[in-house]
Amino acid sequence: MNLFYKEKTEFNLPNANLVYIENFYNATTANHYFKILKTCTNWQQDDITLFGKTYKQPRLTALYANNSRPYRYSNITMKPTIFTQELQQIKQDIELEINHKFTSVLLNLYRDGNDSNGWHADNEKELGKNPVIASLSFGAIRPFHFKHRHIKEQRHKINLNHGSLLIMKGEMQHYWLHQIAKTKKPIGERLNLTFRTIM
C-alpha cells in the first residue's frame, strides 16, 4: 500500500523554513488514524487565563511522549502519557520522512468552528533554540494563518488538508506567529498532532 505522496511545497520566506506535504497519508490511512485517535485519546480541557480572566481552552488537548517530561505553555503544565502504538507508528513515519527524532506529541481536537488556537509561536525554552515542529492534520480542513512579527506584508495562510504534514523549522518560531482562527462556517471535527523534541 502506498502511504505517502512525496511531492513537497517549500516556501521561500524570510526567517523561516516551512515545508508542506499535502498528502502525507492517503485518505484510507488518514481516515483510520482519525477514527482511532479521536476515540482512544485521553482528551482534557484545561483552563487558560487571559488578561486576568480564566476560560476553558477552546479545544481539547492531550500530550504523549516517550518519557515523563512535562510540557508548559500559556501557564498550562501538561504531563504526558506514554505513546500508543498508533502514535509511535506515526512518529516513525514522520521521522523517516524528515530525518529528525521527536520525543513528544501534542494533540489538539477542534470540535467545530468555535474551537481555535490564537496567535502564538512554539518558542518554549524546553523546545530548544530552533525547534523542528511537525504538524499533522486529520479531519476537516482548517486554514493555518501565519505572519511575520516585523514584516507586515509577510502574512499568509495554508489550508491544512486531511492527511497533510506541515514542517516548521529554522528560525520560524522566533520571527513568525501562527494561529487556527475561529470560523462561523459549519465545519466538522479536526485533529492536529504537533510532534516536538522536548529538551
Side-chain angles (χ1 to χ4, degrees):
M1 180 169 55
N2 180 22
L3 295 181
F4 306 114
Y5 179 69
K6 294 291 186 181
E7 187 171 339
K8 304 175 185 178
T9 301
E10 298 192 28
F11 295 86
N12 184 18
L13 299 168
N15 310 115
N17 190 333
L18 187 66
V19 179
Y20 181 57
I21 305 175
E22 184 174 358
N23 297 294
F24 181 72
Y25 284 122
N26 64 29
T28 300
T29 306
N31 290 341
H32 169 73
Y33 280 134
F34 178 85
K35 182 178 179 181
I36 289 177
L37 294 175
K38 180 192 166 187
T39 56
C40 298
T41 297
N42 297 322
W43 297 110
Q44 63 190 64
Q45 188 174 24
D46 294 297
D47 291 330
I48 187 167
T49 301
L50 296 171
F51 307 111
K53 293 186 177 182
T54 300
Y55 308 89
K56 287 293 183 185
Q57 199 172 25
R59 62 190 180 280
L60 304 183
T61 61
L63 181 68
Y64 288 77
N66 59 12
N67 56 61
S68 60
R69 294 175 190 150
Y71 179 54
R72 299 173 182 86
Y73 69 97
S74 301
N75 295 317
I76 295 171
T77 299
M78 299 188 71
K79 296 181 179 179
T81 302
I82 293 296
F83 280 122
T84 64
Q85 181 180 348
E86 291 79 18
L87 289 172
Q88 183 67 34
Q89 183 60 59
I90 293 171
K91 182 173 86 77
Q92 290 175 1
D93 292 342
I94 295 173
E95 289 173 340
L96 182 64
E97 174 66 32
I98 70 173
N99 193 28
H100 181 85
K101 296 290 185 182
F102 296 101
T103 64
S104 66
V105 60
L106 177 65
L107 291 88
N108 293 280
L109 176 59
Y110 299 85
R111 295 159 294 182
D112 54 33
N114 290 315
D115 279 358
S116 63
N117 197 347
W119 288 112
H120 70 284
D122 296 320
N123 57 1
E124 293 78 18
K125 62 181 181 179
E126 55 261 57
L127 298 179
K129 182 179 179 181
N130 290 323
V132 177
I133 310 291
S135 177
L136 182 66
S137 296
F138 296 122
I141 297 172
R142 295 286 291 265
F144 174 84
H145 297 265
F146 55 109
K147 63 180 180 179
H148 199 281
R149 291 179 184 268
H150 310 298
I151 307 172
K152 290 184 178 180
E153 60 269 23
Q154 288 291 339
R155 190 179 183 113
H156 311 279
K157 75 172 181 178
I158 304 171
N159 288 323
L160 299 178
N161 290 333
H162 183 45
S164 68
L165 179 66
L166 183 72
I167 304 120
M168 298 180 282
K169 51 186 177 178
E171 299 178 314
M172 186 162 183
Q173 303 307 322
H174 300 285
Y175 290 94
W176 293 77
L177 300 171
H178 55 272
Q179 73 163 351
I180 300 293
K182 293 181 184 296
T183 178
K184 293 182 179 180
K185 296 178 181 178
I187 196 166
E189 294 173 312
R190 172 181 179 258
L191 260 172
N192 176 243
L193 289 68
T194 50
F195 286 87
R196 305 143 188 267
T197 304
I198 297 179
M199 303 297 179

